[in-house]
């Protein structure tokens, strides 16, 4: 199947050819500051930018590894994240939720998504 998307202004488009993918909501403290993230986790080799050039911001997570967060510099839409700790996957923003990650860091006012697997860390 083809997953495809774009930023709000349409300046950046992407696709990923996958047979299946995992989706999840991340509760790590970096994603909390990024206003949480719902992700479609796809093989990095399947992910392609088909239009435009995204900007990025590097941050270092609690693991000590880098998270490179890509976004559109025009409309500021969050697009995807490449994580040094998970070098074989790309986390595309959006999608349905199969699992919640880093629930040990979940804010006390955020309820668990019912019927979804709960993980204290990734994987």
């Amino acid at each position: 199947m083809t997953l495809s998307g774009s930023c709000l202004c349409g300046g950046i488009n992407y696709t990923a050819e996958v047979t299946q993918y995992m989706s999840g909501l991340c509760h790590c403290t970096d994603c909390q500051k990024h206003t949480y993230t719902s992700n479609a986790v796809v093989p990095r080799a399947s992910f392609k930018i088909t239009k435009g050039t995204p900007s990025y911001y590097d941050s270092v997570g609690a693991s000590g590894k880098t998270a490179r967060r890509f976004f559109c510099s025009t409309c500021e839409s969050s697009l995807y994240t490449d994580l040094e700790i998970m070098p074989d996957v790309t986390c595309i923003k959006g999608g349905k939720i199969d699992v919640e990650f880093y629930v040990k860091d979940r804010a006390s006012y955020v309820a668990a998504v019912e019927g979804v697997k709960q993980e204290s860390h990734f994987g």
Side-chain angles (χ1 to χ4, degrees), residues 3-65:
L3 302 178
S4 61
S6 67
C7 63
L8 182 62
C9 72
I12 300 172
N13 295 339
Y14 61 82
T15 63
E17 290 294 331
V18 297
T19 54
Q20 61 181 15
Y21 66 94
M22 177 179 57
S23 60
L25 179 61
C26 187
H27 292 278
C28 77
T29 53
D30 284 354
C31 284
Q32 288 178 33
K33 290 179 181 183
H34 200 245
T35 318
Y36 293 96
T37 60
S38 175
N39 302 283
V41 182
V42 302
R44 194 168 292 179
S46 75
F47 183 80
K48 305 284 183 250
I49 296 295
T50 58
K51 178 183 174 189
T53 303
S55 295
Y56 65 86
Y57 176 77
D58 286 342
S59 63
V60 177
S63 67
K65 304 289 185 178

Side-chain angles (χ1 to χ4, degrees), residues 77-90:
S77 295
S78 179
L79 298 165
Y80 62 99
T81 302
D82 286 339
L83 301 163
E84 183 181 4
I85 199 168
M86 299 184 305
D88 297 330
V89 299
T90 290

